Amino acid sequence: MLQVKRILSPIDFSADSLEALETAEDLASRYSAEIMLVHVVAFIPKLPDDISILDEGEYEQELIKDAQQRLDDLAAKAKKKGLQARTAVGQANDAAMEIVRTAEQEKADLIVMATHGMTGWRRLAFGSVTDKVVRTADCPVLVLRKNAAAESEKTATATSASSSSK
């Protein structure tokens, strides 16, 4: 039987990753496990047009500081639910490998993450962070896929609402 004491939850602050965090929190609650929230910042991010190349280091530090603050806020919410939560901001150009490295370093028993459902040629050409984590992690990975039925229901509702307002 799977003994879960530490759950790693990669967060990119998308709605999908925040939904995966809810599942990770539910599992942490059930297993009395600690949750580890992780965000990866690219070493060499594409600089916005209004940022000078000379300010790259400062810009990178701001990205890290912002990510840490956002993770801290999520961890505080988890703690209000009675969970043990910690955070880590990693830096790497390969987010999947940084997630796996962090999972190994922190001795995670489970990784809970979302997939954005990349398919077809895009998946073949670019791969995905989730795919790489599943293939290379030493611990089990629970992948939560966006519910296509719920998405199509939202679209249908929005379409009918906009049609009726005309």
Side-chain angles (χ1 to χ4, degrees):
M1 179 168 202
L2 182 64
Q3 295 290 325
V4 180
K5 295 187 187 304
R6 184 165 296 124
I7 299 171
L8 189 131
S9 182
I11 305 291
D12 64 5
F13 306 109
S14 67
D16 292 341
S17 73
L18 296 177
E19 286 179 23
L21 174 59
E22 289 177 15
T23 300
E25 289 174 340
D26 182 50
L27 289 168
S29 176
R30 291 172 191 250
Y31 286 101
S32 298
E34 176 184 45
I35 191 163
M36 179 84 186
L37 296 95
V38 177
H39 178 77
V40 179
V41 173
F43 270 124
I44 306 171
K46 182 179 179 210
L47 294 175
D49 293 336
D50 60 339
I51 301 292
S52 163
I53 190 80
L54 300 174
D55 296 327
E56 181 177 339
E58 187 177 308
Y59 178 70
E60 192 173 77
Q61 289 304 312
E62 282 298 314
L63 290 176
I64 293 167
K65 183 179 172 185
D66 179 60
Q68 186 63 61
Q69 182 60 54
R70 292 173 76 182
L71 286 179
D72 289 345
D73 292 346
L74 292 171
K77 289 178 185 175
K79 289 176 182 178
K80 284 182 181 177
K81 296 176 186 176
L83 300 172
Q84 295 177 37
R86 292 188 300 130
T87 65
V89 175
Q91 268 191 288
N93 285 329
D94 186 339
M97 296 316 300
E98 181 65 11
I99 291 166
V100 170
R101 186 197 65 73
T102 302
E104 289 171 358
Q105 180 181 342
E106 297 293 331
K107 296 178 177 52
D109 301 303
L110 177 66
I111 299 171
V112 177
M113 64 189 305
T115 181
H116 297 289
M118 193 181 297
T119 59
W121 71 268
R122 290 178 59 214
R123 183 177 193 161
L124 289 173
F126 303 112
S128 83
V129 171
T130 305
D131 287 340
K132 287 181 184 178
V133 170
V134 168
R135 285 193 315 264
T136 58
D138 289 335
C139 64
V141 180
L142 174 60
V143 177
L144 302 170
R145 199 170 125 183
K146 193 172 197 172
N147 185 344
E151 190 62 25
S152 64
E153 184 179 311
K154 286 180 191 174
T155 305
T157 303
T159 304
S160 66
S162 66
S163 300
S164 63
S165 65
K166 289 182 181 180

